[in-house]
Amino acid sequence: MISRALCLAAHPSEKLTTEHLELTDIPLAPLLDGEVLVRNTWLSIDPSIRLRLGESAPSGYLPPLRIGDALVGLALGIVVESRHEDFRPGDLVSHMHGYRDFAVVSAAAGGLGGAGTLTRIDAHDWPQQWYLGPLGSSGLTAYVGLFEVMGIRPSDTVWISAAAGAVGSIATQLAVHHGCTVIASAGSRRKADHLVDALGASSSFDYHDGDVGSLLAQAAPDGIDAYFDNVGGSHFIAALDALNPEGRVVMCGAISTYETSNTLPSNLFQITAKSLSVRGFRAGSFGHLYDRVRSTVGSRLANGTLIHEESIYDGLEHASTALVDLLNGRTTGKTLCRL
Ligand code: NDP
């Protein structure tokens, strides 16, 4: 059997363009015991794949893809054929072989830091793609970052960057609901206004409007107690300067460094001087919390106190545009490709 897949055509040295990616027909091997054949229905478009498209990947992370390799990413699909007793044709499943029409998936294989293991999804009354967004990896990441890693407190003034995106928009609303004063930043005036008007942030700024440190100081004249970092680079530097003593940083992601070389901040001594805690995490290691996240986020989605937005691209032929648009801030909320 043959499936279309989005493959790496050339390693980008800086900005990814659609020319670095190409749709290719790939052969699918016959099913072995323990495997299922899945027809993908929704692809999660995530920034982290960009880390694997260059000639090298950050040490400690997943290895770079080679030219010709199919991209991988979280996806939902319907089981077409099964050689595993726990999965039947017609089951809705999540797995890590996104960016293709069909995939042969082994139930035994973990992947993407634990987030990509083959799992049956009972979508109940929710739109199935929400299991890639607020009820899936994005919701888990926001929840874990705030409640398990940051140790968020109602008295906190919290800054959340890339706050109009998939993780940031949920983190912003959960922090607001928790009673925090939330400062949210994003890449356009329209997004910044939306963060206050619709998501409930106390204040917001467009990081293009000047020096990030100055914009943050204006938004938080008394400093911040915690920072949820989705961006890294200049944002991380600004946070170290603005954090109050004993402040906390959650290093969720560093998207500003995914397409450029990363240099160490020159103000790292702030961590010592102010007794700051800086902690990274991979949401895939917290998969045991999915039920709690789905109950917390799901009840808020149901009663309308949590808004979820999506940027949807139709067809595998538009997955490369979706990824490039995401990396360039042209999407809002969860970015998805519908097959
Ligand atoms: P988003 O939906 O937030 O999309 C990424 C956004 O980042 C873009 O829309 C853009 O919005 C912003 N951005 C892009 N380039 C820059 C830049 N140079 N400076 C500032 N902002 C920029 O993606 P996700 O919600 O899926 O992911 C958010 C972060 O969380 C990423 O860093 C990702 O790698 C990380 N992540 C970490 C996980 C973990 O387990 N630790 C799991 C999932 C995600 P804008 O218009 O605001 O510029």
Side-chain angles (χ1 to χ4, degrees), residues 43-338:
L43 313 178
S44 178
I45 308 297
D46 296 303
S48 54
I49 187 63
R50 177 63 185 84
L51 291 167
R52 304 183 64 190
L53 301 182
E55 285 182 15
S56 61
S59 60
Y61 194 63
L62 298 164
L65 301 186
R66 293 158 304 174
I67 302 294
D69 282 351
L71 273 62
V72 291
L74 296 175
L76 296 178
I78 305 293
V79 174
V80 177
E81 194 183 329
S82 174
R83 287 191 61 181
H84 191 290
E85 59 184 8
D86 293 345
F87 299 93
R88 294 194 174 79
D91 283 350
L92 176 67
V93 291
S94 66
H95 62 92
M96 59 170 279
H97 296 279
Y99 293 102
R100 63 202 83 186
D101 290 320
F102 289 89
V104 171
V105 185
S106 166
L112 300 180
T117 306
L118 182 70
T119 308
R120 197 171 50 249
I121 301 286
D122 187 353
H124 297 291
D125 298 329
W126 302 114
Q128 61 172 249
Q129 75 273 17
W130 288 15
Y131 285 83
L132 294 173
L135 303 175
S137 171
S138 308
L140 181 71
T141 307
Y143 181 93
V144 164
L146 289 175
F147 292 99
E148 299 293 314
V149 182
M150 181 187 284
I152 189 172
R153 302 167 197 146
S155 57
D156 283 337
T157 296
V158 183
W159 176 30
I160 299 172
S161 56
V167 173
S169 61
I170 301 169
T172 296
Q173 294 177 85
L174 291 179
V176 168
H177 299 152
H178 200 62
C180 302
T181 301
V182 178
I183 292 146
S185 60
S188 72
R189 192 66 253 163
R190 183 187 61 77
K191 287 185 181 180
D193 289 345
H194 179 73
L195 292 168
V196 172
D197 298 341
L199 305 193
S202 304
S203 62
S204 65
F205 61 87
D206 170 2
Y207 63 85
H208 294 110
D209 279 348
D211 168 68
V212 180
S214 308
L215 295 167
L216 180 60
Q218 275 171 31
D222 297 325
I224 58 173
D225 303 307
Y227 173 47
F228 192 115
D229 192 9
N230 287 315
V231 171
S234 62
H235 288 56
F236 178 62
I237 293 170
L240 292 184
D241 287 336
L243 277 157
N244 295 322
E246 313 283 338
R248 294 100 70 207
V249 179
V250 170
M251 299 192 75
C252 174
I255 193 165
S256 72
T257 69
Y258 295 176
E259 304 214 278
T260 55
S261 53
N262 193 6
T263 49
L264 272 181
S266 58
N267 62 346
L268 285 178
F269 194 72
Q270 297 272 11
I271 297 171
T272 306
K274 294 194 283 195
S275 300
L276 305 178
S277 303
V278 178
R279 193 178 152 198
F281 74 105
R282 285 177 74 168
S285 311
F286 293 83
H288 57 285
L289 295 181
Y290 262 127
D291 285 348
R292 195 195 303 170
V293 173
R294 285 174 180 154
S295 144
T296 305
V297 174
S299 60
R300 290 203 169 274
L301 287 166
N303 67 22
T305 55
L306 195 139
I307 295 168
H308 172 55
E309 290 166 294
E310 296 169 336
S311 299
I312 296 177
Y313 294 71
D314 274 302
L316 187 58
E317 56 279 14
H318 293 122
S320 58
T321 305
L323 180 57
V324 170
D325 282 357
L326 169 96
L327 292 168
N328 288 284
R330 291 194 282 266
T331 64
T332 303
K334 179 70 192 175
T335 305
L336 296 155
C337 187
R338 172 168 46 199

